[in-house]
Coordinates of all heavy atoms in Angstrom, one line a residue:
M199 N 111.5 -33.5 114.7 CA 111.3 -34.9 114.5 C 112.6 -35.5 114.2 O 113.4 -34.9 113.5 CB 110.2 -35.2 113.4 CG 110.2 -36.6 113.1 SD 109.0 -37.4 112.1 CE 108.6 -36.4 110.8
R200 N 112.8 -36.7 114.7 CA 114.1 -37.4 114.4 C 113.7 -38.7 113.7 O 112.7 -39.4 114.0 CB 114.9 -37.7 115.6 CG 115.3 -36.4 116.3 CD 116.2 -36.7 117.4 NE 117.6 -37.1 117.1 CZ 118.5 -36.3 116.6 NH1 118.3 -35.1 116.3 NH2 119.7 -36.8 116.3
A201 N 114.4 -39.1 112.7 CA 114.1 -40.3 111.9 C 115.2 -41.4 112.3 O 116.4 -41.1 112.4 CB 114.1 -40.1 110.4
F202 N 114.7 -42.6 112.4 CA 115.6 -43.7 112.6 C 115.7 -44.5 111.3 O 114.7 -44.8 110.6 CB 115.0 -44.6 113.7 CG 115.8 -45.9 113.8 CD1 117.0 -45.9 114.5 CD2 115.2 -47.1 113.4 CE1 117.6 -47.1 114.7 CE2 115.9 -48.3 113.5 CZ 117.1 -48.3 114.2
H203 N 116.9 -44.7 110.8 CA 117.1 -45.4 109.6 C 118.1 -46.6 109.8 O 119.1 -46.5 110.4 CB 117.8 -44.5 108.5 CG 118.0 -45.1 107.2 ND1 117.0 -45.4 106.4 CD2 119.1 -45.5 106.6 CE1 117.5 -46.0 105.3 NE2 118.8 -46.0 105.4
S204 N 117.6 -47.7 109.3 CA 118.4 -48.9 109.4 C 118.9 -49.3 108.0 O 118.1 -49.3 107.0 CB 117.6 -50.1 109.9 OG 118.4 -51.3 110.0
T205 N 120.2 -49.5 107.8 CA 120.8 -49.8 106.5 C 121.4 -51.2 106.6 O 122.0 -51.6 107.6 CB 121.9 -48.8 106.2 OG1 121.3 -47.5 106.2 CG2 122.5 -49.1 104.8
Y206 N 121.3 -51.9 105.5 CA 121.9 -53.3 105.4 C 122.8 -53.2 104.2 O 122.4 -52.6 103.1 CB 120.8 -54.3 105.1 CG 121.3 -55.7 104.8 CD1 121.7 -56.5 105.7 CD2 121.3 -56.0 103.4 CE1 122.2 -57.8 105.4 CE2 121.8 -57.3 103.1 CZ 122.3 -58.1 104.1 OH 122.8 -59.4 103.7
A207 N 124.0 -53.8 104.3 CA 124.9 -53.7 103.1 C 125.7 -55.0 103.0 O 126.1 -55.6 104.0 CB 125.9 -52.6 103.3
D208 N 125.9 -55.4 101.8 CA 126.9 -56.5 101.5 C 128.2 -55.8 101.2 O 128.2 -54.9 100.3 CB 126.5 -57.3 100.3 CG 125.3 -58.2 100.6 OD1 125.3 -58.8 101.7 OD2 124.4 -58.4 99.8
I209 N 129.3 -56.1 101.9 CA 130.6 -55.5 101.6 C 131.6 -56.5 101.3 O 131.6 -57.7 101.7 CB 131.0 -54.6 102.7 CG1 131.2 -55.3 104.0 CG2 130.1 -53.4 102.9 CD1 131.9 -54.5 105.1
S210 N 132.6 -56.1 100.5 CA 133.8 -56.9 100.2 C 135.0 -56.1 100.5 O 135.0 -54.9 100.2 CB 133.8 -57.4 98.8 OG 132.7 -58.2 98.5
Y211 N 136.1 -56.7 101.0 CA 137.3 -56.0 101.2 C 138.5 -56.9 101.2 O 138.3 -58.2 101.3 CB 137.3 -55.2 102.6 CG 137.2 -56.1 103.8 CD1 138.3 -56.5 104.5 CD2 135.9 -56.5 104.3 CE1 138.2 -57.3 105.6 CE2 135.8 -57.3 105.4 CZ 137.0 -57.7 106.0 OH 136.9 -58.5 107.1
V212 N 139.6 -56.4 100.9 CA 140.9 -57.2 100.8 C 141.4 -57.4 102.3 O 141.6 -56.4 103.0 CB 141.9 -56.6 99.9 CG1 143.2 -57.4 100.0 CG2 141.4 -56.5 98.5
D213 N 141.6 -58.6 102.7 CA 142.2 -58.9 104.0 C 143.7 -59.1 103.7 O 144.2 -60.2 103.4 CB 141.6 -60.2 104.5 CG 142.1 -60.5 105.9 OD1 143.0 -59.8 106.4 OD2 141.7 -61.5 106.5
Y214 N 144.5 -58.0 103.9 CA 145.9 -58.0 103.6 C 146.7 -58.9 104.6 O 147.7 -59.5 104.2 CB 146.5 -56.6 103.6 CG 146.1 -55.8 102.4 CD1 145.1 -54.9 102.5 CD2 146.7 -56.0 101.2 CE1 144.7 -54.1 101.4 CE2 146.3 -55.3 100.1 CZ 145.3 -54.3 100.2 OH 144.9 -53.6 99.1
S215 N 146.2 -59.1 105.8 CA 146.9 -59.9 106.8 C 146.8 -61.4 106.4 O 147.7 -62.2 106.9 CB 146.3 -59.7 108.2 OG 144.9 -60.1 108.2
N216 N 145.9 -61.8 105.6 CA 145.8 -63.2 105.1 C 146.1 -63.4 103.6 O 145.9 -64.4 103.0 CB 144.4 -63.8 105.4 CG 144.2 -64.0 106.9 OD1 145.1 -64.6 107.5 ND2 143.1 -63.7 107.4
S217 N 146.7 -62.3 103.0 CA 147.1 -62.4 101.6 C 148.6 -62.7 101.6 O 149.4 -62.5 102.5 CB 146.9 -61.0 101.0 OG 145.5 -60.7 101.0
Y218 N 149.0 -63.3 100.4 CA 150.4 -63.7 100.3 C 151.2 -62.5 99.6 O 150.9 -62.1 98.5 CB 150.5 -64.9 99.4 CG 149.8 -66.1 100.0 CD1 148.7 -66.6 99.5 CD2 150.3 -66.7 101.2 CE1 148.0 -67.7 100.1 CE2 149.7 -67.8 101.7 CZ 148.5 -68.3 101.2 OH 147.9 -69.3 101.8
Y219 N 152.3 -62.1 100.3 CA 153.1 -61.0 99.9 C 154.5 -61.6 99.6 O 155.1 -62.3 100.5 CB 153.2 -59.9 100.9 CG 154.0 -58.7 100.5 CD1 153.5 -57.8 99.6 CD2 155.3 -58.6 101.0 CE1 154.2 -56.7 99.2 CE2 156.0 -57.5 100.6 CZ 155.5 -56.5 99.7 OH 156.2 -55.5 99.3
D220 N 155.1 -61.3 98.5 CA 156.5 -61.7 98.1 C 157.4 -60.5 98.3 O 157.3 -59.5 97.6 CB 156.5 -62.2 96.7 CG 157.8 -62.8 96.3 OD1 158.9 -62.4 96.8 OD2 157.8 -63.7 95.4
K221 N 158.3 -60.6 99.3 CA 159.2 -59.5 99.6 C 160.2 -59.3 98.5 O 160.6 -58.2 98.3 CB 159.9 -59.8 101.0 CG 159.0 -59.7 102.2 CD 159.8 -59.9 103.4 CE 158.9 -59.8 104.6 NZ 159.6 -60.0 105.9
E222 N 160.6 -60.4 97.9 CA 161.6 -60.3 96.8 C 161.0 -59.5 95.6 O 161.7 -58.7 95.0 CB 162.1 -61.6 96.3 CG 163.0 -62.3 97.4 CD 163.4 -63.7 96.9 OE1 163.2 -64.1 95.8 OE2 164.0 -64.4 97.8
E223 N 159.8 -59.8 95.2 CA 159.2 -59.1 94.1 C 158.5 -57.8 94.6 O 158.0 -57.0 93.7 CB 158.2 -60.0 93.4 CG 158.9 -61.2 92.7 CD 157.9 -62.0 91.8 OE1 157.0 -61.4 91.3 OE2 158.1 -63.2 91.7
D224 N 158.4 -57.6 95.9 CA 157.7 -56.5 96.5 C 156.3 -56.3 96.0 O 155.9 -55.2 95.6 CB 158.6 -55.2 96.2 CG 158.1 -54.0 97.1 OD1 157.6 -54.3 98.2 OD2 158.3 -52.9 96.6
K225 N 155.6 -57.4 96.0 CA 154.1 -57.3 95.6 C 153.4 -58.5 96.2 O 153.9 -59.5 96.6 CB 154.0 -57.3 94.1 CG 154.4 -58.6 93.4 CD 154.1 -58.5 91.9 CE 154.4 -59.8 91.2 NZ 154.1 -59.8 89.8
Y226 N 152.1 -58.3 96.2 CA 151.2 -59.4 96.6 C 151.0 -60.4 95.5 O 150.7 -60.0 94.4 CB 149.8 -58.8 97.1 CG 149.9 -58.2 98.4 CD1 150.1 -56.8 98.6 CD2 149.7 -58.9 99.6 CE1 150.1 -56.2 99.8 CE2 149.7 -58.4 100.8 CZ 150.0 -57.0 100.9 OH 150.0 -56.4 102.2
L227 N 151.2 -61.7 95.8 CA 150.9 -62.7 94.8 C 149.5 -63.2 94.9 O 149.0 -63.7 93.8 CB 151.8 -63.9 95.1 CG 153.3 -63.6 95.1 CD1 154.1 -64.9 95.5 CD2 153.8 -63.1 93.8
Y228 N 148.8 -63.0 96.0 CA 147.4 -63.4 96.1 C 146.8 -62.5 97.1 O 147.3 -62.2 98.2 CB 147.3 -64.9 96.6 CG 146.0 -65.3 97.0 CD1 145.0 -65.6 96.0 CD2 145.6 -65.4 98.3 CE1 143.7 -65.9 96.3 CE2 144.3 -65.8 98.7 CZ 143.4 -66.0 97.7 OH 142.1 -66.4 98.0
L229 N 145.6 -62.0 96.8 CA 144.9 -61.1 97.7 C 143.6 -61.9 98.2 O 142.8 -62.3 97.4 CB 144.4 -59.8 97.0 CG 145.5 -58.9 96.6 CD1 145.0 -57.7 95.8 CD2 146.3 -58.4 97.8
E230 N 143.5 -62.0 99.5 CA 142.4 -62.7 100.1 C 141.3 -61.7 100.2 O 141.4 -60.6 100.8 CB 142.8 -63.2 101.5 CG 141.7 -63.9 102.3 CD 141.3 -65.2 101.7 OE1 142.1 -65.9 101.1 OE2 140.1 -65.6 101.9
T231 N 140.1 -62.0 99.7 CA 138.9 -61.2 99.7 C 137.9 -61.7 100.7 O 137.7 -62.9 100.7 CB 138.3 -61.1 98.3 OG1 139.3 -60.6 97.4 CG2 137.1 -60.1 98.3
V232 N 137.4 -60.8 101.5 CA 136.4 -61.2 102.5 C 135.1 -60.6 102.1 O 135.0 -59.4 101.7 CB 136.8 -60.7 103.9 CG1 135.7 -61.0 104.9 CG2 138.1 -61.3 104.3
N233 N 134.0 -61.4 102.1 CA 132.7 -60.9 101.8 C 131.9 -61.1 103.1 O 131.9 -62.1 103.8 CB 132.0 -61.8 100.7 CG 132.7 -61.7 99.4 OD1 133.0 -60.6 98.9 ND2 133.1 -62.8 98.9
T234 N 131.2 -60.0 103.5 CA 130.4 -60.0 104.7 C 129.2 -59.1 104.6 O 129.0 -58.4 103.6 CB 131.3 -59.6 105.9 OG1 130.6 -59.9 107.1 CG2 131.7 -58.2 105.8
E235 N 128.3 -59.2 105.6 CA 127.1 -58.4 105.6 C 127.2 -57.5 106.9 O 127.7 -58.0 107.9 CB 125.9 -59.2 105.7 CG 125.8 -60.2 104.5 CD 124.7 -61.2 104.7 OE1 124.2 -61.3 105.9 OE2 124.4 -61.9 103.8
I236 N 126.7 -56.3 106.8 CA 126.6 -55.4 108.0 C 125.2 -54.8 108.1 O 124.5 -54.6 107.1 CB 127.6 -54.3 108.0 CG1 127.5 -53.4 106.8 CG2 129.0 -54.9 108.1 CD1 128.3 -52.1 107.0
D237 N 124.7 -54.6 109.3 CA 123.5 -53.8 109.6 C 124.0 -52.5 110.3 O 124.8 -52.6 111.2 CB 122.6 -54.6 110.5 CG 121.9 -55.7 109.8 OD1 121.4 -55.4 108.6 OD2 121.7 -56.8 110.3
Y238 N 123.5 -51.4 109.8 CA 123.9 -50.2 110.4 C 122.7 -49.3 110.7 O 121.8 -49.3 109.9 CB 124.8 -49.4 109.4 CG 125.5 -48.2 110.0 CD1 126.6 -48.3 110.8 CD2 125.0 -46.9 109.8 CE1 127.3 -47.2 111.4 CE2 125.6 -45.8 110.4 CZ 126.7 -46.0 111.2 OH 127.3 -44.9 111.7
E239 N 122.6 -48.7 111.9 CA 121.5 -47.9 112.2 C 122.0 -46.5 112.5 O 123.0 -46.3 113.1 CB 120.9 -48.5 113.5 CG 120.3 -49.8 113.3 CD 119.8 -50.5 114.6 OE1 119.9 -49.8 115.7 OE2 119.2 -51.5 114.5
V240 N 121.2 -45.5 112.0 CA 121.5 -44.1 112.2 C 120.3 -43.3 112.5 O 119.2 -43.6 112.0 CB 122.3 -43.5 111.0 CG1 121.4 -43.6 109.8 CG2 122.8 -42.1 111.3
T241 N 120.3 -42.4 113.4 CA 119.2 -41.5 113.7 C 119.6 -40.1 113.3 O 120.6 -39.6 113.7 CB 118.9 -41.5 115.2 OG1 118.6 -42.9 115.6 CG2 117.7 -40.7 115.6
V242 N 118.7 -39.4 112.5 CA 119.0 -38.1 112.0 C 117.8 -37.2 112.2 O 116.7 -37.7 112.2 CB 119.5 -38.1 110.6 CG1 120.8 -38.8 110.4 CG2 118.4 -38.7 109.7
P243 N 118.0 -35.9 112.3 CA 116.8 -35.0 112.4 C 116.2 -34.8 111.0 O 116.9 -34.8 110.0 CB 117.4 -33.6 112.8 CG 118.9 -33.7 112.6 CD 119.2 -35.2 112.6
V244 N 114.9 -34.7 111.0 CA 114.1 -34.6 109.8 C 113.2 -33.4 109.9 O 112.5 -33.3 110.9 CB 113.2 -35.9 109.5 CG1 112.4 -35.7 108.3 CG2 114.1 -37.1 109.3
L245 N 113.2 -32.5 108.9 CA 112.2 -31.4 108.8 C 111.4 -31.6 107.6 O 111.9 -31.7 106.5 CB 113.0 -30.1 108.7 CG 112.1 -28.8 108.6 CD1 111.2 -28.6 109.8 CD2 113.0 -27.6 108.4
M246 N 110.1 -31.7 107.8 CA 109.1 -31.9 106.7 C 108.1 -30.7 106.7 O 107.6 -30.4 107.7 CB 108.4 -33.2 106.8 CG 109.2 -34.4 106.5 SD 108.4 -36.0 106.7 CE 106.8 -35.8 106.3
K247 N 107.9 -30.2 105.5 CA 106.8 -29.2 105.3 C 105.7 -29.9 104.6 O 105.9 -30.5 103.5 CB 107.3 -28.0 104.6 CG 108.3 -27.2 105.4 CD 108.7 -25.9 104.6 CE 109.8 -25.2 105.4 NZ 110.2 -24.0 104.7
I248 N 104.5 -29.9 105.2 CA 103.4 -30.6 104.5 C 102.2 -29.6 104.3 O 102.1 -28.6 105.0 CB 102.9 -31.8 105.4 CG1 102.5 -31.4 106.8 CG2 104.0 -32.9 105.5 CD1 101.9 -32.5 107.6
K249 N 101.4 -30.0 103.4 CA 100.2 -29.1 103.1 C 99.0 -30.1 103.2 O 99.0 -31.2 102.7 CB 100.3 -28.6 101.7 CG 99.2 -27.6 101.3 CD 99.3 -27.2 99.8 CE 100.6 -26.6 99.5 NZ 100.6 -26.1 98.1
Y250 N 98.0 -29.6 103.9 CA 96.8 -30.4 104.0 C 95.6 -29.4 104.1 O 95.7 -28.2 104.5 CB 96.8 -31.4 105.2 CG 96.9 -30.7 106.5 CD1 95.8 -30.4 107.2 CD2 98.1 -30.4 107.1 CE1 95.8 -29.7 108.5 CE2 98.2 -29.8 108.3 CZ 97.1 -29.5 109.0 OH 97.2 -28.9 110.2
V251 N 94.4 -29.9 103.8 CA 93.2 -29.1 104.0 C 92.7 -29.3 105.4 O 92.7 -30.4 105.9 CB 92.1 -29.6 102.9 CG1 90.9 -28.8 103.1 CG2 92.7 -29.5 101.5
H252 N 92.3 -28.2 106.0 CA 91.9 -28.2 107.4 C 90.9 -29.3 107.7 O 91.0 -30.0 108.7 CB 91.3 -26.8 107.7 CG 90.6 -26.8 109.0 ND1 90.9 -27.5 110.1 CD2 89.5 -26.0 109.4 CE1 90.1 -27.2 111.1 NE2 89.2 -26.3 110.7
Y253 N 89.9 -29.5 106.9 CA 88.8 -30.5 107.2 C 89.2 -31.9 106.8 O 88.5 -32.9 107.1 CB 87.5 -30.1 106.5 CG 87.6 -29.9 105.0 CD1 87.4 -31.0 104.2 CD2 87.8 -28.7 104.5 CE1 87.5 -30.9 102.8 CE2 87.9 -28.6 103.1 CZ 87.8 -29.7 102.3 OH 87.9 -29.5 100.9
N254 N 90.3 -32.1 106.0 CA 90.7 -33.5 105.6 C 92.2 -33.7 105.8 O 93.0 -33.6 104.9 CB 90.3 -33.7 104.1 CG 90.5 -35.1 103.7 OD1 90.9 -36.0 104.5 ND2 90.3 -35.4 102.4
K255 N 92.6 -34.0 107.0 CA 94.0 -34.1 107.3 C 94.5 -35.5 106.9 O 95.7 -35.7 107.0 CB 94.2 -33.9 108.8 CG 93.9 -32.5 109.2 CD 94.1 -32.3 110.7 CE 93.6 -30.9 111.1 NZ 93.7 -30.6 112.5
E256 N 93.7 -36.4 106.4 CA 94.2 -37.7 105.9 C 94.9 -37.6 104.6 O 95.7 -38.4 104.2 CB 93.0 -38.7 105.9 CG 92.5 -39.0 107.2 CD 91.3 -39.9 107.1 OE1 90.9 -40.4 106.0 OE2 90.7 -40.2 108.2
E257 N 94.5 -36.6 103.8 CA 95.2 -36.3 102.5 C 96.1 -35.2 102.7 O 95.7 -34.1 102.9 CB 94.1 -36.0 101.4 CG 93.3 -37.2 101.1 CD 92.3 -36.9 99.9 OE1 92.7 -36.1 99.0 OE2 91.3 -37.5 99.9
L258 N 97.4 -35.5 102.5 CA 98.4 -34.4 102.7 C 99.4 -34.5 101.6 O 99.6 -35.5 100.9 CB 99.0 -34.4 104.0 CG 99.7 -35.7 104.5 CD1 101.2 -35.7 104.1 CD2 99.5 -35.9 106.0
E259 N 100.1 -33.4 101.4 CA 101.2 -33.3 100.4 C 102.5 -32.9 101.1 O 102.5 -31.9 101.8 CB 100.8 -32.3 99.3 CG 101.8 -32.1 98.3 CD 101.5 -31.0 97.3 OE1 100.3 -30.5 97.3 OE2 102.4 -30.6 96.6
V260 N 103.5 -33.7 100.9 CA 104.8 -33.3 101.4 C 105.5 -32.5 100.3 O 105.7 -33.0 99.2 CB 105.7 -34.5 101.8 CG1 107.1 -34.1 102.2 CG2 105.0 -35.4 102.8
Y261 N 105.8 -31.2 100.6 CA 106.4 -30.4 99.5 C 107.8 -30.0 99.8 O 108.5 -29.4 99.0 CB 105.5 -29.2 99.2 CG 105.3 -28.2 100.3 CD1 106.1 -27.1 100.4 CD2 104.2 -28.3 101.2 CE1 105.9 -26.2 101.4 CE2 104.0 -27.4 102.1 CZ 104.9 -26.3 102.2 OH 104.7 -25.4 103.2
S262 N 108.3 -30.4 101.0 CA 109.7 -30.1 101.3 C 110.1 -31.0 102.4 O 109.4 -31.3 103.4 CB 109.8 -28.6 101.8 OG 111.2 -28.4 102.3
M263 N 111.4 -31.6 102.3 CA 111.9 -32.4 103.3 C 113.4 -32.3 103.4 O 114.1 -32.2 102.4 CB 111.6 -33.9 103.0 CG 112.0 -34.8 104.1 SD 111.4 -36.5 104.0 CE 112.1 -37.1 102.5
S264 N 113.9 -32.2 104.6 CA 115.3 -32.0 104.8 C 115.8 -33.1 105.8 O 115.2 -33.2 106.9 CB 115.6 -30.6 105.4 OG 117.0 -30.5 105.8
L265 N 116.8 -33.9 105.4 CA 117.4 -34.9 106.3 C 118.7 -34.3 106.9 O 119.5 -33.7 106.2 CB 117.7 -36.2 105.6 CG 116.5 -36.9 105.0 CD1 117.0 -38.1 104.2 CD2 115.6 -37.4 106.2
N266 N 118.8 -34.5 108.2 CA 120.1 -34.2 108.9 C 120.5 -32.7 108.7 O 121.6 -32.4 108.5 CB 121.2 -35.1 108.5 CG 122.3 -35.1 109.5 OD1 122.1 -35.0 110.7 ND2 123.6 -35.3 109.0
E267 N 119.5 -31.8 108.6 CA 119.7 -30.4 108.5 C 120.5 -30.1 107.3 O 121.3 -29.1 107.3 CB 120.3 -29.8 109.8 CG 119.3 -30.0 111.0 CD 120.0 -29.6 112.3 OE1 121.2 -29.4 112.4 OE2 119.2 -29.5 113.2
G268 N 120.4 -30.9 106.2 CA 121.1 -30.6 104.9 C 122.6 -31.1 104.9 O 123.3 -30.9 104.0
E269 N 123.0 -31.6 106.1 CA 124.4 -32.1 106.1 C 124.5 -33.5 105.7 O 123.5 -34.3 105.6 CB 124.9 -32.0 107.6 CG 124.9 -30.6 108.1 CD 125.9 -29.7 107.4 OE1 127.1 -30.2 107.1 OE2 125.6 -28.5 107.2
S270 N 125.7 -33.9 105.3 CA 126.0 -35.3 104.9 C 125.7 -36.2 106.1 O 125.8 -35.8 107.3 CB 127.4 -35.5 104.5 OG 127.7 -34.7 103.4
I271 N 125.3 -37.4 105.8 CA 125.1 -38.4 106.8 C 126.3 -39.4 106.8 O 126.5 -40.1 105.8 CB 123.8 -39.2 106.6 CG1 122.6 -38.3 106.7 CG2 123.6 -40.3 107.6 CD1 121.3 -38.9 106.3
E272 N 127.0 -39.3 107.9 CA 128.3 -40.1 108.0 C 128.0 -41.5 108.5 O 127.3 -41.7 109.5 CB 129.3 -39.4 108.9 CG 130.6 -40.2 109.0 CD 131.6 -39.4 109.9 OE1 131.5 -38.2 110.0 OE2 132.5 -40.1 110.5
I273 N 128.5 -42.5 107.8 CA 128.4 -43.9 108.2 C 129.8 -44.4 108.4 O 130.7 -44.4 107.6 CB 127.7 -44.8 107.1 CG1 126.2 -44.3 106.9 CG2 127.7 -46.2 107.5 CD1 125.5 -45.0 105.9
V274 N 130.0 -44.8 109.7 CA 131.4 -45.3 110.0 C 131.4 -46.8 110.0 O 130.5 -47.5 110.6 CB 131.7 -44.8 111.5 CG1 133.1 -45.4 111.9 CG2 131.7 -43.3 111.5
I275 N 132.3 -47.4 109.3 CA 132.5 -48.8 109.2 C 133.7 -49.2 110.1 O 134.7 -48.6 110.0 CB 132.8 -49.3 107.8 CG1 131.6 -48.9 106.9 CG2 133.0 -50.8 107.7 CD1 131.7 -49.3 105.4
H276 N 133.4 -50.0 111.0 CA 134.4 -50.4 112.0 C 135.7 -51.0 111.4 O 135.6 -51.5 110.3 CB 133.8 -51.4 113.1 CG 132.6 -50.8 113.7 ND1 132.6 -49.8 114.7 CD2 131.3 -51.0 113.5 CE1 131.4 -49.5 115.0 NE2 130.6 -50.2 114.3
N277 N 136.8 -51.0 112.1 CA 138.1 -51.4 111.6 C 138.0 -52.9 111.1 O 138.8 -53.3 110.3 CB 139.1 -51.3 112.7 CG 139.5 -49.8 112.9 OD1 139.3 -49.0 112.0 ND2 140.0 -49.5 114.1
E278 N 137.1 -53.7 111.6 CA 137.1 -55.1 111.2 C 136.7 -55.3 109.8 O 136.8 -56.3 109.2 CB 136.1 -55.9 112.1 CG 134.7 -55.4 112.1 CD 133.9 -55.8 113.3 OE1 134.2 -55.3 114.4 OE2 133.0 -56.6 113.1
Y279 N 136.1 -54.2 109.2 CA 135.7 -54.3 107.8 C 136.7 -53.6 106.9 O 136.6 -53.4 105.8 CB 134.3 -53.7 107.6 CG 133.2 -54.3 108.5 CD1 132.6 -53.6 109.5 CD2 132.9 -55.6 108.3 CE1 131.6 -54.2 110.3 CE2 131.9 -56.2 109.1 CZ 131.3 -55.5 110.1 OH 130.4 -56.1 110.9

């Protein structure tokens, strides 16, 4: 089985191209901060072990679950962020 997961995030980052840099002092005098929102979708494999009684499959117990075969789930944020 594969699971589809949608993630929403509020992110903030420093926009160095629009920040003020003083070459004489060799430092930024002002850092422009950008706040934005992103939606990210990822599909990963899911392994679930469930227990249920043969005559009552509506009541079940999930006793083990593995996402992405135990590996980390990588989320890539595009260069614009």
Side-chain angles (χ1 to χ4, degrees):
M199 171 170 37
R200 298 187 72 74
F202 171 76
H203 180 71
S204 179
T205 301
Y206 171 82
D208 287 319
I209 62 171
S210 299
Y211 63 94
V212 175
D213 181 1
Y214 289 102
S215 63
N216 287 316
S217 298
Y218 298 110
Y219 183 78
D220 187 328
K221 289 183 181 181
E222 291 179 8
E223 293 189 34
D224 194 29
K225 67 178 185 178
Y226 283 93
L227 301 177
Y228 171 76
L229 294 175
E230 178 70 30
T231 302
V232 176
N233 298 306
T234 191
E235 303 168 350
I236 61 169
D237 285 318
Y238 190 81
E239 298 175 354
V240 62
T241 302
V242 296
V244 176
L245 175 63
M246 291 177 30
K247 293 182 181 179
I248 59 173
K249 186 186 303 183
Y250 63 91
V251 179
H252 167 34
Y253 58 84
N254 187 2
K255 296 179 183 175
E256 292 177 5
E257 292 186 30
L258 57 92
E259 175 186 350
V260 177
Y261 64 92
S262 175
M263 185 168 63
S264 171
L265 294 175
N266 202 33
E267 299 172 345
E269 297 294 320
S270 298
I271 298 172
E272 182 177 332
I273 297 176
V274 177
I275 298 178
H276 304 284
N277 289 335
E278 64 202 64
Y279 304 114

